[in-house]
Amino acid sequence: MTDLKKLAAECLAKLRAAGADTAQARLSLSEKREFNIDGGEFSLFRTTFNRSLTLIAFRETKTGSVVVNSFDPDAINRAISDCMRSVESDSPDPARGIAAYQGERELVYGEPEPDAEKFFAATKRLKADIEERYPTIMMEQMINSHDKTESVYADTNGNLFHMLYGSYGVGLMFSAHRDGKSSSFMGCEYDTVDLDTPLIEQGDIARVLSDVERQIDTVPVEGSFTGTVIFAPDCLGGLLRTAIGCFASGTPLIDGTSVWRDKLGQAVASPGFTLSLAPHHPDAILRQQLTGDGYLTEDFDLIRNGILESFVAGIYVSNKAGVPRSKNTATGWLVMPEGDRSLDELIAGVKDGLFVYRFSGGHPANNGDFSGVAKNSFRIRDGKLADAVSETMISGNLADMLLSFEGASRERVKDGYSVLPFAAFSGITISGK
Amino acid sequence: MLREFETKGRDLFGGEPDAEVRRQRNTTRSISLVQGDLHANDRSETAGVSARVIRGGVAGFASTADLSEESVGTVLREAQKNAAFLDGQVSLGKPALPSAARGAFRMTREPGDPEQKAYIEFARAVDEYVVKNCPKLVSRRLVFRADCMEKVLTVPGGTDAHTFLPRCYLYLFFTANTPDGVPVDLFTALGGYGSFDQLFRDPKDVFPEVDLLYGKLLAKTEGVRPEAGLKTCILGGSLAGMLAHEAVGHTVEADLVIGGSVAGPMLGRVVASPLVSLVDFAHSAFGRAAPLPVYVDDEGTPAVDAEIIRDGILVGYLNNRDTAVRFGMKPQGNARAYAPSDEPLIRMRNTAILPGHSRLSDMIASVEDGYYLTDTGNGQADTTGEFMFGISMGYEIKNGKLGRALLDTTISGVAFEMLKTVDMVSDTVTWSSSGFCGKKQPMPVGLGGPELRCKLLMGGR
């Protein structure tokens, strides 16, 4: 067995000896066991064993990083040499830094040890359940895997964190077919540690499969109108992450192009809108334990009751943009509180709009303008789900959209990372042919 | 480098009839200059060996991050064990696949691998020019990314290979404000197949591209939103390439055909205007090297061109050895794996719509009221052929003349319907190859096409 802590300490010592003022080392050993179904049939059983070594060195505020997947002494020496040459080619930037001393931690979470036979049986049952309950569904691909990782983070400030974690991942891609017609393809995925509950009863799979079966026959939207859109949780998560990327993190904060740059403590969403970055939420299977800088993470509210409470910033962005460092940078772990009404009641409140499972759109401009195709979606008319729609585009502005939040459902979907409801936003342009 | 492994490992198969062993090394070099500050200065290398064994129609696969002879034996045994487990569980009972042609293909020229300093100094020289000559920018980002896949493939029933696939690009991302203070952005990717030292000799060579991008961005700051709805458009060559790849190419990947793609029932039928022909090129196209040449795939099949649409008729799928048997077609070298730990999947290589006979100027002159769409940053499509492309640059066409620039918008359509509306095809193909195709694994691909006059659904506000 490789002693990752010992190896990390050796790497840091060598980086110091090579001239680094400060340095970080991340080492990991990972194993994957994966079953694939293609075109409705089992096709592949795959096991992979990998390792990774990331070295980041700083000297006089210059930096460089190297990633290799070998722990061979010669490879490590080459990596250190490459890393220090990269450092020398850099220019100084005092905005850089690594985490202050926090001590040592042992962190174990998820289900690190797989039960491959039980997982295969659960996968086989999921396939059978889908075939029996949803006869029009054609399984383009199912990729179910268990991933185990042991990793160590160490730095020259004395931080040493040892982590062991694992989980079962379930991922499906499918469409519904009948009489030569088909729905759009749809995907579902989640992570779990529970192999006792049938996989079809976890995540949001059953609802989505059922609704995709109703999307074989579609009706185009005529003309263009402004309406309310209810986004399904997975789609909502994608849009919220995009908004964070445009307005609340990274380069847009540094170069000042973020429209939220001066909005800390001010309203950026409707008063009923709250969004947290919560990698330690009880329903999170895997967790962001550390930021890239080496800080142990804590949950925080990005937006509370419509007010921007924080940006998403590590040390560099914090120093460069002059904004406070955030308690985590875990944009994959979004949590919204449950709403005050059921999904049916949420739909009942919409006179004319769309229910959108999937948004096929490009990355918006920095100003948040977006447009794209509403896929796997239904028209909402007079408070009821109507026909599935085809060739329908939606467009708007992400910043404006958050200010037009109309409410969220009590039902929330847990995918092992995020916990999100169905959410309604008004003022979105909906256009068809 | 993996040269020492070219002739090793053949004796380890032990009579396994359908297996392959792949030793691989992927490298990435990247730097990112944001507002003149170096934000990223990274080098990465991932190496390993994998084995795949096929039994009864299912595959066992294993990999490890170790290139030793001992590791080859380990992953082969693990792959055999996995194949036996799955075969025992599902008993598909499929017969053995036909072998590919025996042979060997070895590239001898190894790409260069300069140190980070070379990328940084080049980028800083370009950045200096940008600062001096692009005064209205509110943000600028210059990114160098070089990657290379080196593979040594050993296949008892196929063609052994030692290949390199190096790429290097300089991406320029510019942002400027509209008169109302709203930021708009535009980017371009310069470079292609080869290593930094082959492609980027002098920063001055890049300056005209900086000027071009800046000029387009300034026009965009004065841009207008297009009208939403079905419009007559001239789709630029890079967009036609994206259409060829995203909206047609994926639907004819045979694994997706089996999974229910729209192309399944369309073989031999009209799917496009007779002006449209489409080919997935292996390693050369139009008398020149293709943007990202593939000579042997990761099942050991020698790569040849795959014809997909001929004069508007769907004539073929993209296959691996397994699906080729199922559809009665020949495998043409489309089974490709990205990382050392990845199994081969059916992937495109260099997918392009073939050029026609119209001149772009005549095409523009023929449009009374429509749009010329030139640049895209992204695109998606699904197996129904319905696509969405982000338009990052375009122009109005009014009475046969180019008008105002457009702000960001989106176009959408259904490929096999939209392609039937094509009534003019330009005589020039534009290639691009700077991105990754995503399908379980990323994959570098080339995509290209001529300008197409057609009907498209424009997004708008």
Side-chain angles (χ1 to χ4, degrees):
Chain A
M1 288 292 288
T2 307
D3 185 337
L4 296 182
K5 288 185 191 176
K6 186 175 168 212
L7 202 51
E10 288 170 6
C11 289
L12 291 175
K14 286 181 177 178
L15 284 166
R16 283 272 210 191
D21 300 329
T22 56
Q24 298 169 296
R26 290 175 188 269
L27 297 89
S28 69
L29 294 166
S30 58
E31 298 176 18
K32 178 189 284 290
R33 287 168 180 80
E34 177 188 277
F35 299 108
N36 284 206
I37 291 173
D38 284 288
E41 290 182 344
F42 278 96
S43 58
L44 175 71
F45 179 17
R46 170 175 173 245
T47 55
T48 68
F49 302 88
N50 210 339
R51 59 174 90 95
S52 178
L53 167 65
T54 302
L55 301 173
I56 304 174
F58 300 84
R59 182 178 185 177
E60 294 166 352
T61 74
K62 297 187 286 187
T63 188
S65 91
V66 169
V67 181
V68 296
N69 71 336
S70 175
F71 294 162
D72 176 77
D74 289 342
I76 290 175
N77 289 337
R78 271 199 309 276
I80 286 167
S81 174
D82 277 357
C83 189
M84 293 312 297
R85 272 204 300 276
S86 292
V87 170
E88 290 312 312
S89 62
D90 191 14
S91 301
D93 190 340
R96 294 170 175 138
I98 63 172
Y101 175 71
Q102 300 153 93
E104 298 188 14
R105 295 278 198 293
E106 291 286 335
L107 302 161
V108 179
Y109 49 102
E111 179 54 80
E113 295 305 328
D115 184 336
E117 296 208 1
K118 193 172 180 182
F119 188 40
F120 180 76
T123 298
K124 207 169 172 181
R125 176 167 177 191
L126 174 59
K127 177 176 179 290
D129 284 344
I130 293 170
E131 287 167 355
E132 182 188 327
R133 297 184 202 178
Y134 307 102
T136 66
I137 292 293
M138 187 178 282
M139 189 59 59
E140 181 182 313
Q141 191 165 57
M142 187 191 301
I143 301 173
N144 291 1
S145 67
H146 180 275
D147 291 85
K148 171 188 176 182
T149 302
E150 180 193 5
S151 71
V152 161
Y153 169 88
D155 64 35
T156 51
N157 284 350
N159 293 306
L160 180 60
F161 307 126
H162 178 240
M163 289 157 280
L164 180 64
Y165 53 94
S167 67
Y168 298 96
V170 176
L172 291 77
M173 191 72 76
F174 52 86
S175 51
H177 296 253
R178 190 187 60 236
D179 302 332
K181 292 186 288 187
S182 73
S183 71
S184 288
F185 81 81
M186 181 69 195
C188 282
E189 56 186 24
Y190 63 83
D191 271 42
T192 185
V193 292
D194 177 7
L195 293 185
D196 294 322
T197 305
L199 297 178
I200 200 162
E201 292 173 17
Q202 300 187 47
D204 201 27
I205 290 181
R207 183 205 314 271
V208 179
L209 285 163
S210 174
D211 278 348
V212 168
E213 285 206 305
R214 296 166 54 207
Q215 293 165 357
I216 296 173
D217 297 305
T218 58
V219 175
V221 169
E222 298 292 333
S224 176
F225 67 100
T226 301
T228 295
V229 172
I230 295 176
F231 291 105
D234 184 58
C235 185
L236 175 66
L239 290 168
L240 293 175
R241 282 181 201 100
T242 304
I244 292 169
C246 286
F247 310 139
S249 62
T251 304
L253 292 178
I254 294 172
D255 66 18
T257 55
S258 161
V259 297
W260 288 358
R261 178 67 185 81
D262 301 314
K263 297 274 189 183
L264 204 57
Q266 298 179 35
V268 295
S270 297
F273 186 87
T274 293
L275 176 66
S276 308
L277 271 62
H280 300 284
H281 189 277
D283 290 316
I285 306 293
L286 297 181
R287 297 172 178 186
Q288 188 203 45
Q289 299 283 7
L290 301 175
T291 66
D293 304 319
Y295 277 110
L296 291 161
T297 58
E298 299 172 60
D299 295 352
F300 73 93
D301 291 342
L302 183 78
I303 299 169
R304 188 186 309 134
N305 300 324
I307 306 297
L308 182 65
E309 298 287 339
S310 174
F311 291 112
V312 182
I315 291 174
Y316 185 78
V317 173
S318 169
N319 289 337
K320 210 73 185 169
V323 301
R325 186 176 63 77
S326 55
K327 292 179 179 175
N328 69 59
T329 53
T331 55
W333 283 261
L334 300 181
V335 175
M336 279 177 66
E338 60 182 41
D340 57 1
R341 62 202 108 161
S342 69
L343 174 58
D344 286 344
E345 289 166 339
L346 196 65
I347 293 168
V350 178
K351 178 148 183 60
D352 198 2
L354 285 182
F355 181 96
V356 176
Y357 265 110
R358 189 159 67 88
F359 173 69
S360 175
H363 193 277
N366 282 354
N367 61 26
D369 281 352
F370 71 88
S371 67
V373 181
K375 308 284 287 188
N376 304 96
S377 300
F378 295 98
R379 185 78 179 260
I380 304 175
R381 283 187 196 275
D382 299 322
K384 292 195 172 110
L385 279 190
D387 299 314
V389 298
S390 60
E391 296 190 71
T392 302
M393 300 188 81
I394 56 176
S395 57
N397 179 279
L398 286 170
D400 295 344
M401 191 182 95
L402 293 176
L403 290 163
S404 305
F405 171 66
E406 295 284 324
S409 68
R410 270 197 295 274
E411 299 91 332
R412 293 188 298 174
V413 172
K414 304 161 187 172
D415 66 6
Y417 297 87
S418 292
V419 183
L420 291 170
F422 297 82
F425 299 87
S426 59
I428 293 178
T429 303
I430 299 165
S431 53
K433 277 188 172 174
Chain B
M1 297 299 173
L2 306 177
R3 185 77 62 198
E4 63 181 297
F5 299 113
E6 281 182 350
T7 55
K8 289 185 180 173
R10 298 199 60 78
D11 52 334
L12 292 170
F13 288 98
E16 187 68 50
D18 198 343
E20 70 243 355
V21 165
R22 174 164 38 92
R23 293 174 175 90
Q24 186 171 340
R25 177 174 170 266
N26 286 11
T27 56
T28 303
R29 315 311 187 197
S30 61
I31 66 116
S32 173
L33 273 184
V34 178
Q35 304 289 75
D37 292 332
L38 195 66
H39 276 215
N41 182 16
D42 306 323
R43 295 171 76 83
S44 78
E45 176 175 324
T46 305
V49 61
S50 70
R52 188 176 70 154
V53 170
I54 297 174
R55 287 190 189 165
V58 296
F61 181 94
S63 74
T64 186
D66 189 344
L67 292 163
S68 68
E69 286 300 283
E70 187 186 352
S71 294
V72 174
T74 302
V75 294
L76 255 172
R77 283 191 296 277
E78 187 76 14
Q80 286 169 326
K81 196 171 79 178
N82 289 349
F85 173 84
L86 197 55
D87 186 31
Q89 289 286 334
V90 302
S91 302
L92 298 181
K94 290 184 181 176
L97 297 172
S99 297
R102 283 293 305 135
F105 175 85
R106 294 192 174 110
M107 296 174 81
T108 53
R109 186 175 176 190
E110 298 185 355
D113 184 18
E115 292 189 5
Q116 297 298 99
K117 189 178 177 185
Y119 299 98
I120 294 170
E121 287 180 351
F122 195 103
R124 286 207 183 283
V126 176
D127 191 58
E128 197 175 312
Y129 180 84
V130 173
V131 170
K132 278 184 188 163
N133 294 279
C134 308
K136 291 187 178 176
L137 293 186
V138 295
S139 175
R140 65 189 194 281
R141 183 158 58 100
L142 283 68
V143 176
F144 257 117
R145 180 188 160 91
D147 54 49
C148 181
M149 285 195 288
E150 180 186 8
K151 297 175 177 176
V152 171
L153 182 74
T154 310
V155 197
T159 295
D160 293 345
H162 183 186
T163 58
F164 298 88
L165 189 60
R167 306 186 298 171
C168 183
Y169 300 90
L170 172 60
Y171 302 86
L172 307 174
F173 299 87
F174 288 177
T175 305
N177 282 343
T178 67
D180 298 332
V182 177
V184 293
D185 38 43
L186 196 60
F187 87 100
T188 191
L190 312 170
Y193 178 78
S195 54
F196 171 87
D197 47 321
Q198 292 171 308
L199 296 164
F200 295 95
R201 296 181 190 282
D202 188 339
K204 290 191 185 71
D205 297 340
V206 172
F207 295 167
E209 298 291 342
V210 170
D211 296 339
L212 184 64
L213 182 68
Y214 184 57
K216 286 165 74 173
L217 179 64
L218 291 188
K220 188 174 171 180
T221 62
E222 305 286 339
V224 296
R225 295 187 193 285
E227 278 180 41
L230 195 64
K231 303 291 176 190
T232 299
C233 296
I234 296 174
L235 207 56
S238 61
L239 279 146
M242 189 171 276
L243 182 80
H245 176 95
E246 295 287 354
V248 179
H250 280 302
T251 68
V252 299
E253 290 170 333
D255 50 346
L256 300 190
V257 172
I258 294 166
S261 93
V262 66
M266 301 302 286
L267 197 64
R269 292 164 62 176
V270 173
V271 295
S273 148
L275 298 175
V276 175
S277 293
L278 195 155
V279 173
D280 181 52
F281 292 98
H283 45 75
S284 56
F286 314 121
R288 305 177 61 181
L292 298 174
V294 174
Y295 296 93
V296 178
D297 77 2
D298 294 322
E299 292 184 329
T301 300
V304 296
D305 298 345
E307 196 176 16
I308 297 170
I309 297 174
R310 186 193 310 144
D311 304 329
I313 310 287
L314 184 67
V315 295
Y317 299 148
L318 305 178
N319 289 284
N320 59 19
R321 290 168 56 228
D322 179 55
T323 62
V325 169
R326 177 168 177 150
F327 289 111
M329 297 175 178
K330 286 186 178 174
Q332 293 166 302
N334 289 89
R336 305 174 66 195
Y338 177 67
S341 57
D342 286 336
E343 77 282 13
L345 303 177
I346 296 174
R347 307 305 295 257
M348 286 170 261
R349 289 91 43 108
N350 302 280
T351 313
I353 294 174
L354 305 190
H357 302 290
S358 297
R359 289 179 168 203
L360 176 59
S361 55
D362 294 337
M363 293 169 72
I364 292 169
S366 72
V367 177
E368 192 173 322
D369 184 12
Y371 299 101
Y372 175 38
L373 309 172
T374 58
D375 291 52
T376 177
N378 54 75
Q380 300 170 8
D382 72 16
T383 48
T384 61
E386 188 173 11
F387 63 87
M388 178 295 307
F389 299 154
I391 302 297
S392 54
M393 192 73 209
Y395 303 88
E396 293 176 322
I397 306 176
K398 299 285 185 192
N399 302 315
K401 290 192 166 54
L402 288 184
R404 296 172 295 181
L406 302 180
L407 293 169
D408 287 330
T409 188
T410 305
I411 58 170
S412 68
V414 176
F416 290 163
E417 293 174 16
M418 169 267 171
L419 283 171
K420 289 175 186 163
T421 72
V422 171
D423 56 8
M424 294 179 90
V425 179
S426 84
D427 54 5
T428 306
V429 169
T430 302
W431 285 103
S432 58
S433 59
S434 62
F436 285 92
C437 168
K439 179 187 174 184
K440 190 183 180 191
Q441 311 157 13
M443 182 59 69
V445 291
L447 35 104
E451 282 87 5
L452 305 175
R453 196 179 88 152
C454 56
K455 298 276 190 193
L456 284 166
L457 188 61
M458 299 283 297
R461 291 288 300 276

